[in-house]
Amino acid sequence: MTDSTASRRRGDDLERAIFEAALEELAEVGYANLRMEAVAARAKAGKASLYKRWPDRAHLIRAAARYKATAVDTRFEPSGDVRADMARVMRRITENQAGPGGEAMRGWVGELRAPAGEEDAEVDEIREAIEQPRIRVFAEILEAGIANGTVRPEALHPRIVNLAPSLLTQHFLMKGRPATEAVIGEILDEIVMPLITARR
């Protein structure tokens, strides 16, 4: 596709196509081997279309990571079984880490940290985009547990709400792979549940 053809796909449609292509390419070749030319070809867009928006692959993947975080469906209806609900959401997080979203996060954390200066705000924005949806889901689960008396009210502290997903992310980044079902169980049974369970 020529640049003139690509330019007719304007705005959100073109950016979505580029982001999806970038994430697919990332999943196949990894961040170290990702090339802007390959992303452009996969998106059927002109290379100039990419460079007009992002000066290099670091900025492109940073934007794709933000897109992926905000595109995730975070609708969740708590069942009242706090442990089971947390396990379900944690499995969803590990499934995302196993795909292009995980590759985007790994590349971003490993090589895309902004130097001190103006871009710090952009890095914080991506972190917020990733964390806030899952914090809302875990908060809903804990609120349901508080309502039925199984969770202590103090568990709604933001650091506690984000504890389980943060431990999953730490495992993913340190080990280079998503947590297994056994690791999810350990996080819940050895750390999270003893911390949040209401004393009877």
Side-chain angles (χ1 to χ4, degrees):
M1 180 178 291
T2 66
D3 286 345
S4 60
T5 304
S7 67
R8 289 197 289 270
R9 279 192 300 168
R10 298 181 184 278
D12 292 345
D13 287 342
L14 179 57
E15 287 201 349
R16 275 194 296 270
I18 293 171
F19 290 151
E20 292 292 348
L23 292 170
E24 289 169 6
E25 189 73 13
L26 194 63
E28 286 190 12
V29 305
Y31 180 76
N33 296 314
L34 186 137
R35 298 291 179 266
M36 296 285 272
E37 295 82 354
V39 173
R42 187 183 286 265
K44 296 182 173 61
K47 187 170 62 173
S49 299
L50 274 67
Y51 282 107
K52 284 177 184 177
R53 293 166 170 78
W54 309 283
D56 51 40
R57 65 179 181 175
H59 286 81
L60 170 59
I61 296 305
R62 197 176 292 156
R66 184 192 301 111
Y67 161 80
K68 187 67 177 177
T70 56
V72 171
D73 184 1
T74 58
R75 291 173 295 180
F76 188 85
E77 188 67 34
S79 69
D81 184 331
V82 172
R83 188 194 183 284
D85 285 347
M86 284 189 166
R88 284 169 56 199
V89 178
M90 291 169 76
R91 289 187 198 104
R92 187 187 298 176
I93 292 172
T94 60
E95 288 168 3
N96 184 62
Q97 290 171 344
E103 280 296 331
M105 180 187 296
R106 201 192 329 267
W108 168 53
V109 171
E111 300 187 48
L112 307 184
R113 289 184 187 276
E118 293 181 2
E119 290 187 338
D120 285 346
E122 186 179 9
V123 172
D124 288 343
E125 181 184 341
I126 298 172
R127 185 179 294 112
E128 286 288 306
I130 293 171
E131 290 183 353
Q132 287 306 312
R134 68 188 193 185
I135 287 174
R136 286 195 297 271
V137 172
F138 276 86
E140 290 174 3
I141 293 171
L142 294 176
E143 286 168 356
I146 292 169
N148 66 27
T150 61
V151 172
R152 63 190 188 94
E154 295 82 0
L156 282 179
H157 188 286
R159 292 193 183 277
I160 298 177
V161 174
N162 199 29
L163 178 59
S166 293
L167 290 173
L168 286 182
T169 298
Q170 180 187 42
H171 182 279
F172 174 65
L173 295 176
M174 295 294 292
K175 300 291 187 180
R177 59 184 181 274
T180 62
E181 188 70 22
V183 171
I184 290 174
E186 288 176 0
I187 290 172
L188 286 173
D189 296 331
E190 303 299 327
I191 301 172
V192 178
M193 294 308 296
L195 182 62
I196 68 172
T197 301
R199 294 176 177 82
R200 298 186 181 278

